[in-house]
Amino acid sequence: MSEYRSEDIHNIALVGHGGSGKTLLAEALLHAAGAVQTMGTIERGSTVCDFDPEEKDHQHSLSSAVASFDYKSRLINLVDTPGYPDFLGQAYASLEAVETVAVVINAQTGIEMVTRRMLEKAAEENLCRLIIVNRIDAENVDLATLLTQIRDTFGSECLPINLPSKGASTVVDCFFDPEGESDILSVQDAHTEIIDQVVEVDEELMAAYLEQGEVSPKQLHDPFEQAMREGHLIPVCFTSAKTGAGVPELLEIFVKLMPNPHEGNPHVFLRCDGEEQEEFVAEHDPAKHVLAHVFKVTADPFVGKMGIFRVHQGTVTADSQIYIGDARKPFKVGHLYRMFGKETREIPKAVPGEICAVAKIEEIEFDAVLHDSQQDGGVCLRPMSFPQPMHGLAIETQHLGDDQKLGRALSMMSAEDPSFQVEHSAATNETVIRGIGDLHLRVILEKMKNRYNVEVKTRPPRIAYRETVRGNAEGHHRHKKQTGGAGQFGEVFLRIEPLARGTGFEFVNAVVGGTIPGQFLPAVEKGVRQAMESGFLAGYALQDIRVTVYDGKHHSVDSKEVAFVSAGKKAFRDAVSKAKPVLLEPVVKIDIVAPEASMGDITGDLSGRRGRISSTDAAGTGMLHISGEIPLAEISDYQSFLKSATGGQGSYGVEFSHYQDVPANIQKAIVEEYQAPSEED
């Protein structure tokens, strides 16, 4: 197994909308590089990157996969990511391991919702971006128009580095050797435009270019990567994974122009010292102490956990003693692997920039920082925002005695997926799973059955409503209990006030004179938090409230923690009852791609569902991209409507936006439904 320097490594994530051909493109790249002898196919389920049974059944990527391979003595770590909106969490997580995000666009369908989201996310994470137009050989494609749409949508910095030629059977270079003719544009004009863009970041090179009229590719290498780092250039290239057109050229672009770990924008770490956080970047120095980040965890009921991580600093070997986060006890690596789809290939060491894995380490977790110095126990990678799981299902086992198996299955799957959550509601005594969308949860249930042999019964999706207050109010409660001997006593006075949406919860101690001793204030806060969690109107958690405790009483003998927990809880509920409590509902951003002929039906339906449209624009030949917002409660059957309205041609995705007040009539119905059982009792 070859060993590499950091300068020889290129980490690239293939991202894009489902159906853009990322997995087949990865397969074509592996074949062109000699890493596989025969290309696999999606239909046969024989590709390197889609190896899970669920992926073979759905014929789509459902989680990210790493394929590391050698090309011209360079190590390319290719991360193939899922393109369904329901699995964006996996795609986002992969960005933390790479320098370059290659966004794949289907030439037939054009710019789709995940295309936009991934380009925006890559820019937000300050990563270099490359656009790959795939399926250039498909029928009825207008590549010239698509290139114009790309530039109109994502900016004039999107410039072709090669262009389709000879009926899309090959591509012609616009950067290194701009000779030949393209099917859609002048190659020389494209060459001039990309050179003009690159030299703008280097004043000396620009002066030489203006004087000489030309500069060599060697002179352009460093400014090219600087332009990519600064977002001043987003190269566009063309391929057909099916025919291989443009695939060898894409490999050359990877090794010649895409940044290595030293050349890309570094990932930012945080060093936490108490409440203060200090940003720093790791040094890609193999002699330094180890810093690595776990961006993916796989869990197998037989093999256990495998942590896939990116080394940012230092050298990891089989003999390394590695700490996980704040753990005080290290683990010995033992076996270090390089990934090739589901295969693992043991390696002796990993230097900065490498992506590798360790197996059978149960303590390893997604987003953990690995290090070999206890001084780095307070280090984390700068947090990334993930899609918020909003769709819910209440589940229970079909067979008695499966509760323990269910608990293990949910624990293992939560470890794998940053956008999958499990909640246990004490109020309703039920387990609720939450995901990004309906498909996300269906795949979770399939995995539960296939991997862990657990079958569950489900109830309709639960909407993650929240509660808050609109006004200020004061609350009071005296907890006094005498049962013979020592009693319980605690009295609390508090006031509440609403905070800005999304602020959360704030607890303020304004007690003076020791009327509530300091050791009991955490108990008051605990009681308040318990009351917030159980809700007031309909059992949904309260949020965006400041609670100020300003007075109270205690007893030198009878005051205990339990008394102040109870007093805090009931004083808070007393205040909420006077503070105009309201119900909040989640609102999602919705992106719809549908035929132009369906526009009227879609906009009318959205209006009837309390939605609003923010923009519409072209999304490929005869297709429209519609963006807007809609309450989550209104889209439980949206997939069925869209399929019917568009003859199966429409698709949509949602992403959490914000919470807003529930209309009065709907709030009344929800509260009455919640209270109905207790009234009957």
Side-chain angles (χ1 to χ4, degrees):
M1 183 69 68
S2 300
E3 294 184 10
Y4 300 90
R5 303 172 304 155
S6 297
E7 294 88 339
D8 301 325
I9 300 171
H10 301 275
N11 297 311
I12 298 164
L14 292 179
V15 306
H17 200 88
S20 59
K22 300 182 299 298
T23 299
L24 194 61
L25 179 59
E27 198 74 12
L29 288 164
L30 294 173
H31 182 253
V36 295
Q37 296 303 309
T38 305
M39 275 184 61
T41 67
I42 304 295
E43 295 74 20
R44 292 199 303 267
S46 54
T47 62
V48 169
C49 294
D50 281 1
F51 50 83
D52 280 340
E54 295 80 18
E55 291 179 315
K56 294 179 180 181
D57 289 344
H58 288 271
Q59 296 194 353
H60 276 282
S61 299
L62 303 176
S63 65
S64 58
V66 180
S68 302
F69 63 98
D70 182 275
Y71 181 71
K72 293 188 175 180
S73 299
R74 302 290 186 90
L75 175 64
I76 298 178
N77 293 313
L78 201 61
V79 187
D80 180 32
T81 67
Y84 275 138
D86 285 35
F87 302 96
L88 273 179
Q90 294 265 355
Y92 283 7
S94 299
L95 303 189
E96 298 188 309
V98 302
E99 283 75 43
T100 304
V101 179
V103 183
V104 183
I105 297 177
N106 184 340
Q108 276 187 306
T109 54
I111 300 168
E112 299 174 90
M113 66 189 75
V114 174
T115 312
R116 297 168 187 268
R117 289 192 192 175
M118 294 310 300
L119 272 162
E120 290 169 1
K121 191 67 175 178
E124 181 184 317
E125 296 299 316
N126 201 27
L127 295 169
C128 299
R129 286 155 282 162
L130 170 72
I131 292 176
I132 303 171
V133 179
N134 191 29
R135 297 187 170 174
I136 59 174
D137 59 316
E139 295 182 1
N140 301 319
V141 298
D142 186 343
L143 298 175
T145 299
L146 176 57
L147 182 58
T148 300
Q149 289 175 349
I150 289 171
R151 301 195 66 187
D152 289 345
T153 305
F154 303 117
S156 59
E157 60 268 26
C158 300
L159 294 171
I161 200 167
N162 61 38
L163 289 166
S165 179
K166 299 179 181 178
S169 63
T170 186
V171 297
V172 58
D173 182 22
C174 301
F175 184 71
F176 296 106
D177 185 21
E179 301 293 333
E181 296 183 357
S182 162
D183 297 338
I184 62 173
L185 291 175
S186 162
V187 173
Q188 191 58 51
D189 288 349
H191 173 75
T192 300
E193 194 170 9
I194 201 167
I195 301 304
D196 288 347
Q197 189 81 358
V198 169
V199 298
E200 285 182 2
V201 302
D202 188 319
E203 291 185 5
E204 291 185 9
L205 186 63
M206 180 183 287
Y209 176 58
L210 293 174
E211 182 180 338
Q212 301 168 12
E214 187 58 83
V215 286
S216 69
K218 185 177 181 180
Q219 290 175 286
L220 288 166
H221 181 271
D222 290 347
F224 187 98
E225 287 178 348
Q226 181 183 344
M228 288 191 67
R229 285 195 301 272
E230 296 176 0
H232 190 65
L233 173 65
I234 303 175
V236 180
C237 54
F238 294 81
T239 64
S240 168
K242 184 178 179 181
T243 67
V247 173
E249 290 82 357
L250 182 58
L251 280 171
E252 292 296 318
I253 290 169
F254 284 175
V255 299
K256 290 180 178 178
L257 293 174
M258 295 302 104
N260 63 44
H262 290 285
E263 296 166 332
N265 289 322
H267 295 265
V268 179
F269 285 82
L270 297 176
R271 182 175 281 110
C272 304
D273 183 11
E275 295 184 359
E276 295 185 6
Q277 293 186 338
E278 176 191 358
E279 289 190 354
F280 72 98
V281 295
E283 298 178 46
H284 291 97
D285 184 344
K288 294 277 188 179
H289 61 88
V290 171
L291 275 179
H293 176 256
V294 180
F295 69 94
K296 181 176 174 63
V297 170
T298 64
D300 185 278
F302 304 106
V303 177
K305 283 186 181 179
M306 174 177 284
I308 304 174
F309 58 93
R310 155 74 185 267
V311 181
H312 290 271
Q313 179 178 287
T315 301
V316 180
T317 69
D319 295 324
S320 294
Q321 298 283 333
I322 299 294
Y323 295 91
I324 302 172
D326 293 328
R328 296 185 178 181
K329 184 179 179 181
F331 70 90
K332 183 179 179 181
V333 172
H335 299 280
L336 188 64
Y337 302 103
R338 196 171 285 154
M339 304 300 297
F340 191 73
K342 68 178 178 181
E343 296 180 19
T344 55
R345 300 171 176 179
E346 193 162 357
I347 56 175
K349 67 177 184 179
V351 299
E354 289 212 52
I355 293 175
C356 48
V358 289
K360 299 181 180 179
I361 309 296
E362 289 303 308
E363 297 79 14
I364 206 158
E365 296 178 339
F366 168 77
D367 206 30
V369 168
L370 309 181
H371 55 94
D372 61 359
S373 168
Q374 286 188 311
Q375 294 180 349
D376 288 325
V379 169
C380 62
L381 201 64
R382 186 169 58 189
M384 175 184 283
S385 60
F386 288 93
Q388 184 168 335
M390 299 165 295
H391 287 254
L393 282 176
I395 63 171
E396 60 180 294
T397 58
Q398 285 197 0
H399 306 293
L400 291 175
D402 276 358
D403 288 349
Q404 189 171 353
K405 287 168 63 178
L406 174 63
R408 174 169 170 75
L410 293 176
S411 174
M412 297 288 266
M413 288 188 290
S414 296
E416 288 186 311
D417 192 335
S419 294
F420 173 62
Q421 291 181 357
V422 182
E423 301 172 1
H424 298 281
S425 172
T428 59
N429 192 30
E430 65 182 6
T431 298
V432 178
I433 58 173
R434 296 198 182 277
I436 299 177
D438 175 66
L439 177 61
H440 190 187
L441 293 183
R442 281 195 282 120
V443 169
I444 291 290
L445 297 178
E446 288 175 20
K447 289 182 178 180
M448 202 181 299
K449 181 179 179 180
N450 296 340
R451 295 186 190 179
Y452 302 96
N453 195 29
V454 179
E455 295 186 62
V456 297
K457 293 180 283 188
T458 64
R459 289 190 289 280
R462 292 165 50 94
I463 302 300
Y465 291 105
R466 294 288 183 266
E467 299 178 19
T468 192
V469 295
R470 280 282 166 265
N472 300 349
E474 296 191 352
H476 162 251
H477 184 78
R478 173 185 289 185
H479 177 83
K480 185 176 182 181
K481 190 174 183 180
Q482 197 73 38
T483 57
Q488 297 178 9
F489 181 85
E491 187 170 6
V492 172
F493 292 85
L494 55 77
R495 67 177 66 95
I496 65 173
E497 57 187 300
L499 294 176
R501 186 72 62 248
T503 306
F505 169 62
E506 190 177 321
F507 184 82
V508 179
N509 171 18
V511 175
V512 294
T515 55
I516 300 178
Q519 70 264 30
F520 292 127
L521 282 166
V524 176
E525 181 177 356
K526 181 179 178 181
V528 169
R529 287 185 179 275
Q530 287 179 358
M532 290 186 69
E533 189 63 32
S534 60
F536 181 81
L537 289 172
Y540 295 99
L542 285 140
Q543 65 178 36
D544 305 332
I545 298 175
R546 176 184 291 124
V547 176
T548 303
V549 179
Y550 64 90
D551 201 1
K553 291 182 181 178
H554 74 285
H555 188 278
S556 58
V557 176
D558 291 347
S559 286
K560 298 178 176 64
E561 180 179 328
V562 65
F564 278 99
V565 169
S566 179
K569 182 187 298 185
K570 292 179 180 178
F572 176 77
R573 290 185 64 83
D574 178 43
V576 171
S577 68
K578 309 168 190 173
K580 303 175 185 175
V582 295
L583 202 61
L584 302 173
E585 64 179 343
V587 175
V588 297
K589 298 175 185 176
I590 187 167
D591 287 296
I592 305 163
V593 175
E596 293 178 358
S598 305
M599 176 70 175
D601 291 339
I602 290 171
T603 55
D605 178 77
L606 283 176
S607 178
R609 295 173 185 262
R610 299 190 287 130
R612 63 181 184 85
I613 294 173
S614 56
S615 67
T616 60
D617 52 293
T621 306
M623 304 291 283
L624 282 179
H625 172 249
I626 304 166
S627 297
E629 293 182 347
I630 187 170
L632 180 63
E634 299 287 348
I635 62 171
S636 59
D637 63 341
Y638 197 71
Q639 182 63 53
S640 299
F641 160 76
L642 192 63
K643 183 177 180 180
S644 173
T646 65
Q649 297 182 64
S651 62
Y652 81 102
V654 296
E655 181 180 14
F656 175 76
S657 175
H658 63 280
Y659 275 93
Q660 69 179 19
D661 290 8
V662 173
N665 62 320
I666 297 177
Q667 174 172 311
K668 182 180 178 183
I670 294 172
V671 172
E672 288 177 351
E673 181 182 359
Y674 173 73
Q675 294 175 345
S678 59
E679 289 174 358
E680 291 172 4
D681 294 339

